[in-house]
Amino acid sequence: ILMLIPAGICQDSPASVMEITNLLHAKDQALMDAVTAGDPKVWDAALAPDVIYLDESGVVNSREELLKQLQPLPAGVSGKITVEDYKATLHGDTATVFMADSEAENFHGQQLHARYLVTETWQKSGSDWKLLLAHVYATLHEPPIMKVSTQELDAFAGRYTAGDLVYVISRDGDHLVGGREGKPAS
């Protein structure tokens, strides 16, 4: 008996899913390495012609705009971005990816750390996978609490305006409180 099965009906084997996941993970790490090296060639090879890239600032970048931004880090700045928590799901010739990128940067002697959550859509084009869509979200971390003197706190006390909004900041013991003028401070 001969059975004809339409393309796309068969599910990928666990081994091929793992191979594709490993391939895409390696591509994503190479893209992150190219960011810190300022190498647009790696990105140029990986991007689909009509890619949409939403960066951590909320700006939607076209392929051309994204490639123009890839420049070597300036003097006094170095860093590495490591792809972590990588998960890929296959849907025929399309893959959706979630990953977390951990960035360690030396900025003129200051050690900076950032974490980004990224979702992507990749599509197989011929024998290669191309990045169709990426959305990057910068996670926020509260800075460590620092003890400051009452004199330093007093320097921030005052009345601040933005248009018709008035915000009043005052010192309450060892911390600052603030609120809209005429309303209770918090």
Side-chain angles (χ1 to χ4, degrees):
I1 296 178
L2 176 64
M3 285 184 59
L4 297 176
I5 301 174
I9 299 278
C10 291
Q11 292 187 350
D12 293 307
S13 72
S16 67
V17 169
M18 185 56 75
E19 282 178 21
I20 294 167
T21 298
N22 290 340
L23 171 73
L24 294 177
H25 187 180
K27 281 181 166 282
D28 275 318
Q29 185 60 63
L31 290 172
M32 294 303 98
D33 293 343
V35 167
T36 56
D39 182 2
K41 291 180 286 201
V42 175
W43 283 81
D44 188 38
L47 297 176
D50 55 349
V51 67
I52 297 171
Y53 190 91
L54 177 61
D55 70 21
E56 66 274 15
S57 301
V59 175
V60 177
N61 294 279
S62 68
R63 185 178 205 285
E64 293 74 27
E65 293 163 335
L66 181 58
L67 291 173
K68 270 194 260 179
Q69 294 175 28
L70 294 166
Q71 301 289 321
L73 295 173
V77 180
S78 63
K80 176 153 181 64
I81 302 170
T82 304
V83 174
E84 302 172 342
D85 302 327
Y86 202 85
K87 295 171 184 63
T89 306
L90 293 181
H91 313 274
D93 66 350
T94 303
T96 55
V97 169
F98 165 81
M99 65 183 168
D101 293 340
S102 180
E103 180 180 29
E105 184 176 325
N106 181 322
F107 186 81
H108 301 278
Q110 291 292 319
Q111 297 303 313
L112 306 176
H113 300 277
R115 184 169 167 87
Y116 305 94
L117 302 179
V118 182
T119 55
E120 298 176 325
T121 303
W122 289 82
Q123 187 172 45
K124 191 163 188 183
S125 177
S127 63
D128 198 7
W129 288 84
K130 298 293 182 181
L131 183 60
L132 291 175
L133 174 71
H135 180 193
V136 182
Y137 171 78
T139 62
L140 304 177
H141 295 281
E142 291 291 326
I145 295 174
M146 295 174 48
K147 289 288 186 186
V148 294
S149 70
T150 55
Q151 293 81 12
E152 291 172 303
L153 292 174
D154 286 339
F156 292 100
R159 191 171 179 269
Y160 297 84
T161 61
D164 63 351
L165 173 67
V166 178
Y167 197 84
V168 179
I169 296 177
S170 59
R171 183 172 56 83
D172 183 12
D174 64 351
H175 63 280
L176 297 174
V177 293
R180 291 185 68 173
E181 190 169 57
K183 302 208 183 220
S186 56

